[in-house]
Amino acid sequence: MTYLKTTTFLIAAALAAPLAAQQSGGRLDIVVQPEPPGLMMGLLQNGPTQLVAGDIYESLLRYDSDLSPMPSLAKEWEISEDGLTYTFHLNEGVLWHDGTPFTSADVVFSADVFLRETHARLRASLAYVDSITAPDDLTVVFQLREPFGPFINAFEAGTMPIVPKHIYDGTDYANNEMNATPIGTGPFKFQEWVKGSHIHLVKNEDYYIDGLPYLDEVFYRVIPDAASRAVAFETGEVDVLPGGSVENWDVPRLTELEGVCSTGKGWEFFAPLAWMWMNNREGPTSDVRFRQAVMYAMDRNFVKDVVWNGFGTVATGPVASATNFYTNEVTQYDYNPDKAKELLAEMGYDGETVRILPLPYGETWQRWAEAVRQNLNEAGINAEIDSSDVAGWNEKTSQWDYDLAFTYLYQYGDPALGVSRNYTMDQIQKGSPWNNVEGYENPELDKKWKAAASMVTPEERAAAYAEIQKEIVDDAPVAWLQELEFPTIYRCEIQDLVTTAIGVNDGLRDAWIEQ
């Protein structure tokens, strides 16, 4: 097992005083779409929640575009030769936004108590952890039961947000009154939330890295209509359009405006993959032939080219092509409505109506649902659209009240971190929309997922994941759709907006405005 340790120059660079060219002050107005259901990132992992709360909360590490770890709450760390012991040394002088000192006890509580209960994705990684201890106030030790190579990638803010023990210990986490006014250690502090209008964050004057952040304040603007969001950017009302905040057909026009820049960076860690959950528990979707018919019925290239204006890649299975250990040597579900009809006839499909639940993230997603409905109808499947707002979508999916439900989830650089959680039986948990929501059960494949995560060499893991992908694609527990591309559009005077592999979600610490 490779020995890893942060180097002195990396730590020094990350904690150095600001360069003279970087200017302090100013305000950013950023679109958040849709309005988050909440900002307590330990309870909610929606994209809009992470966009805002990623600068309120922090984790032990951040990651560069190559997915290499960088300091955050931890200033340095070591991994033992056998890959079983991860020791983190925390920054000194860190304060929670209410002035309470941050210590290793907060990390132990967050990872070993709070998040084990609330965070399905992290819980899958914590299954490899035997103990989490704090030898002193500035040291945390994660002791693993067995090697788990991807574990070093589990310390991103959305994956392991560190929450204040003094606020949550011994409380009903979901109903804690402080959820409405989040307290973190990040570069920005929560100031105000005017529902339907904006979320206001202000500079953390006591931030532990000298000179950061540069910005004085950030307003996350809630603008429900996509056309209005584009106009707000054109008129200067907002400065940043995060990926996915305007409809795809507006992107070329907006990026051609004078003084406007764009980047596709900042998504390397996430590698977002869109699919439809298909309820494996009951109804037509419980039959593998019906699920395969759905795959053959969809014209996914048409959606990519017309609905998404060419942004993205048609998915071949559960692993995105940007994620480690991807293979395309699997069954290819090309557009073939005749094949879909054959499968439906073979299973004796009786015309039962299936409900399609779109993702309530804008007109593009609604159009996508309509395109799928039309494809299914043409293949002989009776389908209707069952739309909802974000809160309703969360409720319906977490309570398994759907037949087909659109979603997209992040992959976090490795199948063991962001992929397996969607398909293993231990991740079937009612009440969460971020796990095995479809209810797929395959005990033998569960064993293969677990074995692959613990293999030592990349070659072993590649072979194991290739076998898994081939098998699961044939089972089609979900309807894989597209690897998504989300360009971030911003005014060119904004510098260093995207400096990590999760982009705007944790990048405002470094952002500054050129005067």
Side-chain angles (χ1 to χ4, degrees), residues 5-64:
K5 181 174 180 179
T6 54
T7 56
T8 303
F9 79 85
L10 177 62
I11 301 166
L15 301 181
L19 299 175
Q22 296 164 328
Q23 301 159 351
S24 295
R27 156 183 170 173
L28 278 189
D29 285 78
I30 303 175
V31 162
V32 59
Q33 163 55 28
E35 188 167 17
L39 294 178
M40 205 296 150
M41 200 152 65
L43 298 173
L44 299 166
Q45 285 87 55
N46 298 72
T49 295
Q50 293 193 44
L51 174 67
V52 179
D55 284 296
I56 298 173
Y57 296 97
E58 295 179 297
S59 189
L60 299 185
L61 303 175
R62 302 164 92 213
Y63 299 86
D64 66 19

Side-chain angles (χ1 to χ4, degrees), residues 54 74 81 84 98 117 122 161 191 221 239 247 250-251 284 303 360 369 378 385 387 389 407 414 416 445 481 483:
E81 293 281 359
L84 295 177
D98 62 1
E117 178 178 329
L122 179 62
Q191 179 73 15
R221 303 290 301 280
D239 307 301
E247 304 298 354
D250 281 328
V251 170
V303 167
E378 290 170 349
I385 293 177
S387 297
D389 59 12
T407 191
D414 194 287
L445 203 57
L481 300 171
E483 300 175 20

Side-chain angles (χ1 to χ4, degrees), residues 384-398:
E384 62 182 26
I385 293 177
D386 179 25
S387 297
S388 181
D389 59 12
V390 174
W393 181 92
N394 280 352
E395 177 69 15
K396 285 177 178 289
T397 54
S398 63

Side-chain angles (χ1 to χ4, degrees), residues 181-204:
T181 55
I183 299 292
T185 59
F188 291 91
K189 301 167 65 172
F190 176 83
Q191 179 73 15
E192 178 188 49
W193 187 347
V194 178
K195 297 286 186 177
S197 175
H198 64 268
I199 300 169
H200 183 197
L201 306 186
V202 296
K203 179 176 183 174
N204 179 6

Side-chain angles (χ1 to χ4, degrees), residues 293-468:
V294 169
M295 290 295 297
Y296 283 117
M298 294 186 297
D299 189 347
R300 295 179 293 159
N301 277 299
F302 170 84
V303 167
K304 182 199 72 169
D305 294 337
V306 176
V307 178
W308 282 87
N309 286 72
F311 293 107
T313 303
V314 171
T316 59
V319 180
S321 59
T323 301
N324 289 328
F325 311 120
Y326 163 81
T327 181
N328 64 358
E329 295 182 2
V330 297
T331 298
Q332 300 294 318
Y333 290 102
D334 297 326
Y335 178 51
N336 190 340
D338 289 336
K339 177 66 174 177
K341 291 175 182 178
E342 290 176 11
L343 288 164
L344 294 172
E346 180 184 324
M347 68 170 282
Y349 171 62
D350 62 2
E352 181 178 345
T353 298
V354 294
R355 299 165 297 159
I356 301 173
L357 179 65
L359 192 64
Y361 282 12
E363 182 64 24
T364 295
W365 291 90
Q366 186 67 30
R367 291 188 181 189
W368 201 349
E370 291 169 354
V372 167
R373 177 180 59 81
Q374 182 174 337
N375 280 164
L376 297 186
N377 288 344
E378 290 170 349
I381 297 173
N382 290 322
E384 62 182 26
I385 293 177
D386 179 25
S387 297
S388 181
D389 59 12
V390 174
W393 181 92
N394 280 352
E395 177 69 15
K396 285 177 178 289
T397 54
S398 63
Q399 295 302 313
W400 308 336
D401 180 19
Y402 72 94
D403 298 310
L404 304 169
F406 277 81
T407 191
Y408 72 90
L409 270 78
Y410 299 151
Q411 304 220 331
Y412 303 97
D414 194 287
L417 294 179
V419 181
S420 64
R421 63 185 169 119
N422 303 299
Y423 306 103
T424 58
M425 291 168 60
D426 62 347
Q427 290 297 307
I428 298 175
Q429 180 186 15
K430 205 166 192 176
S432 172
W434 296 289
N435 53 17
N436 184 348
V437 172
E438 73 275 9
Y440 177 59
E441 297 185 5
N442 188 329
E444 293 304 312
L445 203 57
D446 282 7
K447 294 176 185 177
K448 294 179 181 180
W449 283 113
K450 180 174 175 56
S454 299
M455 290 175 179
V456 175
T457 70
E459 292 78 14
E460 288 178 309
R461 297 190 72 209
Y465 283 122
E467 182 179 341
I468 288 170

Side-chain angles (χ1 to χ4, degrees), residues 118-332:
T118 65
H119 204 307
R121 170 164 46 84
L122 179 62
R123 189 162 55 244
S125 297
L126 292 178
Y128 294 88
V129 177
D130 186 54
S131 65
I132 306 173
T133 57
D136 57 57
D137 283 351
L138 294 176
T139 307
V140 180
V141 179
F142 290 76
Q143 188 67 40
L144 275 60
R145 294 189 179 91
E146 58 185 282
F148 183 54
F151 192 60
I152 193 61
N153 288 91
F155 299 92
E156 166 263 338
T159 302
M160 191 185 292
I162 305 303
V163 303
K165 179 179 180 180
H166 67 282
I167 289 177
Y168 286 96
D169 192 16
T171 73
D172 177 357
Y173 305 148
N175 295 303
N176 190 304
E177 63 181 9
M178 293 301 292
N179 292 342
T181 55
I183 299 292
T185 59
F188 291 91
K189 301 167 65 172
F190 176 83
Q191 179 73 15
E192 178 188 49
W193 187 347
V194 178
K195 297 286 186 177
S197 175
H198 64 268
I199 300 169
H200 183 197
L201 306 186
V202 296
K203 179 176 183 174
N204 179 6
E205 299 285 357
D206 298 317
Y207 195 53
Y208 55 94
I209 300 179
D210 186 35
L212 296 182
Y214 301 107
L215 299 169
D216 290 333
E217 57 185 344
V218 182
F219 284 82
Y220 292 88
R221 303 290 301 280
V222 179
I223 306 174
D225 178 66
S228 298
R229 291 193 292 274
V231 170
F233 183 79
E234 290 179 280
T235 60
E237 184 181 342
V238 298
D239 307 301
V240 180
L241 295 171
S245 57
V246 293
E247 304 298 354
N248 294 315
W249 53 83
D250 281 328
V251 170
R253 176 174 58 83
L254 294 173
T255 54
E256 290 172 3
L257 296 173
E258 183 177 357
V260 171
C261 291
S262 68
T263 181
K265 294 182 178 180
W267 293 93
E268 296 86 357
F269 198 76
F270 293 147
L273 185 69
W275 67 78
M276 286 191 302
W277 281 308
M278 295 193 279
N279 195 331
N280 286 210
R281 302 171 183 86
E282 59 186 7
T285 50
S286 65
D287 191 310
V288 64
R289 293 165 295 186
F290 186 90
R291 300 195 300 267
Q292 292 171 341
V294 169
M295 290 295 297
Y296 283 117
M298 294 186 297
D299 189 347
R300 295 179 293 159
N301 277 299
F302 170 84
V303 167
K304 182 199 72 169
D305 294 337
V306 176
V307 178
W308 282 87
N309 286 72
F311 293 107
T313 303
V314 171
T316 59
V319 180
S321 59
T323 301
N324 289 328
F325 311 120
Y326 163 81
T327 181
N328 64 358
E329 295 182 2
V330 297
T331 298
Q332 300 294 318

